[in-house]
Amino acid sequence: MRYLSDVLKEKYGEKIYRLTLSSGCTCPNRDGLVAYGGCAFCSEGGSGEFAAALRPIGEQIEEAKALIANKTGAKKFIAYFQAYSNTYGDALRLEKLYQEAISRPEIVAISLGTRPDCLGDDILAMLARLNGIKPVWVEMGLQTADEETAKRMNRGFSDECYADAVRKLHGIGVEVVAHLIFGFPGETREDMLNSVRFLAALRPEGVKLQMLNILRGTRLADEYAGSPWRLLTREEYADLIAEAVSLLPEETVVHRLTGDGKRDMIIAPEWVKDKKRALNAIRRAISRDFSSPARA
Ligand code: SF4
């Protein structure tokens, strides 16, 4: 198992920081193309609560850099477009925007959060061209491979659509960072591990794992208020993570082991607000099987 921070340090010789940027895209699962309302767990911010408002990309980069560099002296960055679906829109407009970001000397790679149903031929061609300049990562949330849960969560695409998207991205040499969420209502531990097995078979270059956060203003929050279900404890989650990472391919890089949700948006579980303690519990669980510490 390898952690992203180590991989980046090895590759670039220094710590690499993320700049959270906005492309101005929306999401077809919110605007009605696929569905209205979005995934049940997604807040109005489109799973990117920290994204900057849409302004010229150069301005966004300078502002985000100033915030980080003042505290850390950081010099190299990943341009991270997290909120909504960043390949959903006009390919020409998006290519211009991403090219502007990727061409800057301080940007070492670009990471685009999106959905597997937003990868038409024009978008794939754009990604291939950008990837010829600097590495492009496409981040896609599978969240669960249980189709029943996916339906209940209004995910809006099938597992096969997801698998097909991963194959297409691999076909053009673009790296995939897959997201999984543990703790959906009704899912057993075995269901969650089956999601990991499904993902492992697709051999994503990276994974982000996280506990289901019940966020204010979401459909899930209403359901939870009406009929709360039992959430995983910190220790149960840590044990699950330890087993999950043992099922992933050796070369898959772990980008995240627990979420970074905005504290005042989180209704439950309470323990996710203390990331340090969560990581400590995960470290203990993993150390039963691995000798390296958890840092993601
Ligand atoms: S696909 Fe992403 S942005 Fe769209 S509703 Fe689901 S979580 Fe939110």
Side-chain angles (χ1 to χ4, degrees):
M1 182 177 57
R2 297 182 305 151
Y3 292 104
L4 181 64
S5 51
D6 294 339
V7 171
L8 290 175
K9 195 142 192 215
E10 205 175 283
K11 185 166 177 187
Y12 298 105
E14 62 188 89
K15 191 163 175 186
I16 307 296
Y17 293 81
R18 277 186 332 195
L19 302 176
T20 302
L21 307 168
S22 174
S23 68
C25 291
T26 60
C27 170
N29 208 25
R30 286 189 162 274
D31 70 9
L33 186 74
V34 173
Y36 287 106
C39 303
F41 48 83
C42 178
S43 63
E44 281 292 323
S47 288
E49 301 303 337
F50 304 109
L54 184 62
R55 291 194 320 284
I57 199 66
E59 227 177 78
Q60 289 190 50
I61 289 177
E62 286 307 324
E63 188 177 300
K65 261 170 58 181
L67 275 177
I68 296 176
N70 286 349
K71 281 188 267 172
T72 61
K75 292 188 186 63
K76 290 183 182 166
F77 306 90
I78 292 170
Y80 184 40
F81 295 85
Q82 176 186 22
Y84 300 112
S85 302
N86 294 283
T87 59
Y88 180 50
D90 178 64
L92 284 178
R93 180 186 83 82
L94 292 174
E95 182 157 7
K96 196 164 170 272
L97 188 139
Y98 297 144
Q99 194 149 19
E100 203 181 325
I102 215 168
S103 304
R104 296 173 70 112
E106 71 273 33
I107 302 293
V108 297
I110 187 166
S111 181
L112 305 174
T114 194
R115 293 169 53 87
D117 53 5
C118 294
L119 294 169
D121 289 347
D122 52 347
I123 293 289
L124 287 170
M126 169 193 84
L127 294 175
R129 282 192 292 274
L130 292 171
N131 199 42
I133 305 172
K134 283 180 193 157
V136 174
W137 304 344
V138 170
E139 301 209 13
M140 293 190 300
L142 173 69
Q143 320 305 15
T144 175
D146 185 297
E147 296 273 16
E148 271 310 303
T149 304
K151 251 185 226 138
R152 268 189 284 128
M153 292 300 121
N154 197 36
R155 189 183 65 178
F157 57 81
S158 67
D159 289 351
E160 187 42 42
C161 169
Y162 190 93
D164 192 47
V166 174
R167 287 190 286 264
K168 282 180 180 158
L169 289 166
H170 283 168
I172 57 167
V174 166
E175 296 194 6
V176 174
V177 180
H179 297 196
L180 273 184
I181 295 177
F182 293 144
F184 283 118
E187 285 204 352
T188 64
R189 181 183 171 95
E190 205 43 35
D191 292 333
M192 297 178 227
L193 292 174
N194 279 339
S195 293
V196 180
R197 292 184 187 102
F198 176 88
L199 209 53
L202 298 173
R203 309 193 84 76
E205 284 73 18
V207 288
K208 285 186 174 177
L209 306 171
Q210 86 160 82
M211 172 67 198
L212 179 69
N213 287 188
I214 298 176
L215 300 177
R216 286 183 208 293
T218 61
R219 180 161 68 76
L220 214 57
D222 293 342
E223 283 177 25
Y224 189 72
S227 167
W229 60 90
R230 187 184 164 279
L231 296 166
L232 295 174
T233 64
R234 178 171 35 228
E235 282 64 35
E236 285 169 333
Y237 178 76
D239 280 352
L240 193 58
I241 290 287
E243 187 160 359
V245 295
S246 76
L247 297 172
L248 290 168
E250 183 73 16
E251 69 274 15
T252 298
V253 176
V254 176
H255 288 228
R256 186 169 74 195
L257 291 167
T258 183
D260 274 320
K262 218 175 179 182
R263 287 172 63 89
D264 57 0
M265 289 286 292
I266 299 171
I267 295 172
E270 196 58 33
W271 62 261
V272 298
K273 295 179 184 172
D274 190 341
K275 188 174 176 185
K276 202 169 164 194
R277 274 186 83 187
L279 282 173
N280 280 341
I282 294 167
R283 180 184 299 128
R284 281 193 300 275
I286 289 180
S287 67
R288 291 199 291 267
D289 304 310
F290 296 94
S291 52
S292 59
R295 267 160 288 160

